[in-house]
Amino acid sequence: MRHGGPQVEAKPKDFKGSIKRLFNYMAVRKWLMLGAFILSAIATVMQIFTPRILGSATTVIFDGFSEGMVGGRYPIDFAAIRKILISVAILYVANAVFRYVAQLTLVRVVQSTVFDLRQDFKAKMSRVPVEYYDTNSNGDIMSRAINDVDNIARQMVQTINQAIMSVVQFFGILIMMFSISWKLSIVALLTVPLSAFIISRIAPTSRKLFKKQQTELGHLNSHIEETFAGHTEIVSFNREEHVIEEFGFQNEKLFGIAWKAQFLSGILMPLMNMVKNLGYVIVAVMGGIDVSTGALALGEVQAFLTYTNQFSEPMKQL
């Protein structure tokens, strides 16, 4: 047995052609995908409007308290607050329904695509020459059929959906922020270059490590499959210790790469949150000053702070 599994990694000869073929698998259900994307976009727009509407309720209450007590009570327009809360409740319910239907539709697309891919994969493997199985390990083939096929379909569909939703959310939040205050919006936008720098330094390295993790997982699967298939020969030739030692080597190698990949992937969010919180504090201070001078209503600042808190989410997702 050999350390490290297969030493030659096959490189795609036509990457663009492969991507096109993968899209062709999903094109069979293009209307389902389009419907899911539209529903998700509508749900995202509803979510974007909610903070602004809630902010208006805060403004109504604040204005009532600012006028002082009249006849032993504050002149708060509870009828207006009731209408605002009903509107928000409707938006929340509609948002949940649209997202549920969209997710259900995407799951159907993903699982149907996985089904087709595996069917064609099985048909392909029955047509390849016998020498293919001599030059490629069974464990690696199994890893491609089980792990890789599922990852391809799930990641492609969900990544496309997430990318579309993130773009809608990014520009939607940006428009709402500028509609409230261009000055605060520019301050919030100053965090974008710093966030982009952090992402550009971490994401590419993390992506390479995850790719290497999949390769090492295939090697480990190959070793386990060969060990189980040749158990009788291993015992007959007294190779148990060698096999155990090699498994430990492969397992340790996979652990090291997986740990690095998960660490880099996990540290990205805390760094992004740090940048977001920095911008949040600056906006909160400037917004408070604007409220005290009457330049902005309290509810508008509240809504803007919510948008500031949400602004980095689309970038992190992308």
Side-chain angles (χ1 to χ4, degrees), residues 6 28 58 99 118 136 156 165 168 219 226 248 290 313:
V28 178
T58 303
R99 286 194 184 278
R118 284 187 177 140
N136 293 270
M156 283 197 69
M165 295 314 103
V168 171
H219 292 168
E226 290 175 359
D290 285 343
E313 290 302 317

Side-chain angles (χ1 to χ4, degrees), residues 17-67:
S18 299
I19 293 295
K20 184 179 179 180
R21 284 161 54 199
L22 286 170
F23 274 112
N24 287 338
Y25 273 97
M26 291 184 290
V28 178
R29 302 165 190 88
K30 60 184 178 182
W31 296 115
L32 280 176
M33 289 183 62
L34 181 61
F37 294 157
I38 292 174
L39 289 175
S40 295
I42 294 173
T44 302
V45 172
M46 289 179 177
Q47 181 181 343
I48 292 171
F49 274 107
T50 304
R52 188 71 183 269
I53 297 173
L54 281 173
S56 62
T58 303
T59 300
V60 170
I61 296 172
F62 180 75
D63 290 343
F65 278 105
S66 298
E67 291 181 15

Side-chain angles (χ1 to χ4, degrees), residues 195-211 261 264-265 267-268 271 315-316 318:
S195 298
F197 174 77
I198 293 173
I199 293 172
S200 66
R201 300 295 296 177
I202 295 177
T205 304
S206 176
R207 187 166 55 247
K208 290 177 182 178
L209 287 171
F210 273 114
K211 181 179 179 182
L264 281 179
S265 177
I267 202 175
L268 181 61
L271 289 175
M315 290 186 292
K316 288 192 289 186
L318 286 170

Side-chain angles (χ1 to χ4, degrees), residues 294-314:
L296 287 175
L298 179 62
E300 290 180 321
V301 175
Q302 174 193 327
F304 196 94
L305 288 173
T306 303
Y307 290 132
T308 303
N309 199 34
Q310 296 175 349
F311 188 60
S312 63
E313 290 302 317

Side-chain angles (χ1 to χ4, degrees), residues 268-297:
L268 181 61
M269 293 305 175
L271 289 175
M272 293 287 290
N273 285 333
M274 180 187 70
V275 174
K276 178 190 72 175
N277 291 334
L278 179 63
Y280 188 89
V281 170
I282 297 174
V283 168
V285 172
M286 294 182 63
I289 295 173
D290 285 343
V291 171
S292 65
T293 59
L296 287 175

